[in-house]
Amino acid sequence: MRIEELYPIFRKHPSVSTDTRKVTESCLFFALKGENFDANTFAEQAIALGAAFAIVDKQDLPKHPQFIFVDDVLKTLQDLAHYHRRQLGLPVIGLTGTNGKTTTKELINAVLSQKFKTAATLGNLNNHIGVPLTLLAITPDTEVAIVEMGANHQKEIELLCAIAVPDYGLITNVGKAHLEGFGGFEGVKKGKGELYDFLSKNGGTVFINRDNLHLQEMARSRSFKEVIYYGTSSDNYVFGKLIANDPYLTVEWSDGENKDEVQSQLTGIYNFENILAAIAIGKKLGLTTQQIHEGINSYKPQNNRSQIIKTERNTVIGDFYNANPSSMAVAIENIARLEADNKVLILGDMFELGEESGAEHRAVIEKAEKLGIAKVLFVGQEFFKNSNQKSVFLKNVEELRTYLHENPVHQALILLKGSRGMKLEQVIAYL
C-alpha cells in the first residue's frame, strides 16, 4: 500500500503502536523487526487486543482483513511520519547535541507552550523510530513542534532531518560521547553537523551558542538563511550571565534593550546555556518576557537529569540518566562551585567510548581527585581498573550498596552520576 493510501487510514486511526503491550483500541500497529524479534508474529495478537489494522511486511503471513502489507514496515512508519509532517505545515524546531538535548527540548517546550499549542518529543524518543512516533502523535491543532534528534553514528541526523524537515535548528554542543560509533570526536562533529547541513540546504534558521568555539567553527563552513546567536557577549541576539547557583540557577539576560532576571528550577552551571537557548527561541517566536519567564520558572527536571533529590539525610544531585566525558567534566566542575561543607562524589562508568574508554575514565579520576573532596567513590569495571589509595573503587552497584550500608553518608551534598546502564538509581535508598 502506498503512503497516500495509508494516510487516510491513519487520519481515521491516529494512534500508533509498535508494542503489543501498549496497543490501544482502534490504533495502528506497526510490526517492526529487531535483532532479536519480529513483531510480524504478534500482528494477530495486536488485532485481538483492539488494533484497527496491523502494518506488516512478512509476505507469507496468512491473509487477514485487518493486515496491511507493505515492503518494509520501518520505512513505511518513517515515510508516513514525513507525509504527516508535510500535511501539518507547522514550524518544526529540530535539536541535537552531545549533552543537554532533552533538558533544552523541555525548556523550549515549557517556554513556547505559554503562547502556542505545542508538541514535543516524549522522553527520549529521539531515534529512527522515536522521531516518526513523535511526528505521528502531532495533532492538526498543534502550532509548533519541538523534535529531539539523537544519534550514535554518522548519517542518523541526516535521516531524522529528512523525516522531520525542521525549519529551525539547534545543536546544544558537541562533546565526547558515542565515540565508538562516531569514530572519534571529529566524527561526532560531522554527525551532529548534519543538522546544520540540512538547515543550510533548505533555507532554515539556526540558533548558535556563540561562546562555543566548536559550533562557531561548524557554522562558518556553512551558509544559512538566518543565524540567531546567543551567549554571554552583548553582540548576541540574546545574551546573559549566571548570577546565582545555590543550587538552583538564576540568569540575568538581555535582548539589547531590556535587562531581566529569571529564576529556574534547574541545577548545574552547564544548564545556563540551555536556558539562554530557550530564551532566544522564545524571543524569536514572539513571546513576551513574562511568557518566557513563566515557561522557564515552570520547568522542573525529571527522569534523573540534573534532578535535586532531598532524602532524609542528604541532598543528591541525581544526574544518572546518561554520562560521557563531556557531561561528567561539567558535572564535577559544577559541584566544585557549589557551597557545601560536606561533598561526596559517586561516579559510575561511562559506556560506548570504544578504544578511548581507558584514557577517558582515567581523566575523570584525575579531575575528581584534584578537587580535594573528602569522599569520592568510583563505581564500575572501567573505573575499577584504575584503583588507587586516594579514592574508593567498587566493581558494581551491588558493592556500592554494601559500602553505603556499612559507611552511611549524612548531611552531604552528593553528585550521583553515571551511564544509564549502571543503574545508579538503585542506591538512592541508601543515601
Side-chain angles (χ1 to χ4, degrees), residues 11-26:
R11 290 302 301 271
K12 189 175 179 180
H13 306 279
S15 178
V16 170
S17 175
T18 61
D19 186 337
T20 52
R21 294 168 297 183
K22 298 177 181 177
V23 165
T24 56
E25 188 68 29
S26 196

Side-chain angles (χ1 to χ4, degrees), residues 36-262:
N36 303 309
F37 69 92
D38 182 350
N40 282 279
T41 60
F42 301 113
E44 286 192 32
Q45 181 184 349
I47 298 298
L49 290 169
F53 294 94
I55 290 80
V56 297
D57 56 12
K58 191 176 181 182
Q59 301 305 319
D60 60 354
L61 284 176
K63 300 299 180 186
H64 192 293
Q66 290 166 274
F67 284 0
I68 297 174
F69 286 86
V70 297
D71 291 332
D72 185 310
V73 171
L74 175 59
K75 189 172 189 310
T76 299
L77 179 72
Q78 294 169 342
D79 289 348
L80 181 65
H82 172 76
Y83 191 89
H84 181 53
R85 184 265 179 272
R86 287 295 198 189
Q87 304 312 304
L88 292 168
L90 80 174
V92 171
I93 301 167
L95 75 154
T96 188
T98 299
N99 301 312
K101 291 186 297 295
T102 300
T103 298
T104 305
K105 176 256 299 182
E106 295 291 349
L107 278 168
I108 294 168
N109 188 38
V111 167
L112 295 184
S113 63
Q114 302 301 314
K115 178 178 180 180
F116 303 106
K117 179 171 173 52
T118 63
T121 302
L122 288 175
N124 68 327
L125 287 174
N126 61 15
N127 64 5
H128 63 296
I129 297 171
V131 166
L133 292 176
T134 293
L135 294 171
L136 290 170
I138 299 174
T139 55
D141 59 342
T142 303
E143 297 172 291
V144 181
I146 306 105
V147 179
E148 179 182 334
M149 302 178 184
N152 56 25
H153 58 264
Q154 290 173 34
K155 298 297 182 182
E156 277 190 283
I157 299 298
E158 180 181 281
L159 169 66
L160 300 180
C161 285
I163 296 169
V165 196
D167 307 281
Y168 302 89
L170 168 77
I171 301 176
T172 56
N173 48 58
V174 286
K176 295 179 177 180
H178 304 298
L179 297 177
E180 193 170 18
F182 278 115
F185 180 56
E186 288 303 315
V188 173
K189 289 166 63 177
K190 184 175 181 181
K192 300 298 183 182
E194 289 163 12
L195 176 57
Y196 282 178
D197 290 335
F198 183 89
L199 294 167
S200 175
K201 293 173 185 174
N202 293 277
T205 296
V206 63
F207 294 85
I208 298 175
N209 178 3
R210 200 194 290 266
D211 296 337
N212 189 307
L213 297 180
H214 294 303
L215 297 181
Q216 280 210 59
E217 173 201 339
M218 292 162 63
R220 274 196 297 269
S221 63
R222 301 163 171 93
S223 58
F224 301 97
K225 173 188 174 184
E226 186 177 22
V227 179
I228 306 293
Y229 286 107
Y230 59 95
T232 53
S233 60
S234 60
D235 55 346
N236 290 300
Y237 177 74
V238 163
F239 57 95
K241 64 182 180 180
L242 188 62
I243 59 175
N245 178 25
D246 56 354
Y248 295 113
L249 306 185
T250 301
V251 172
E252 180 183 278
W253 68 277
S254 175
D255 58 3
E257 295 181 4
N258 303 298
K259 186 182 291 184
D260 296 281
E261 285 184 17
V262 59

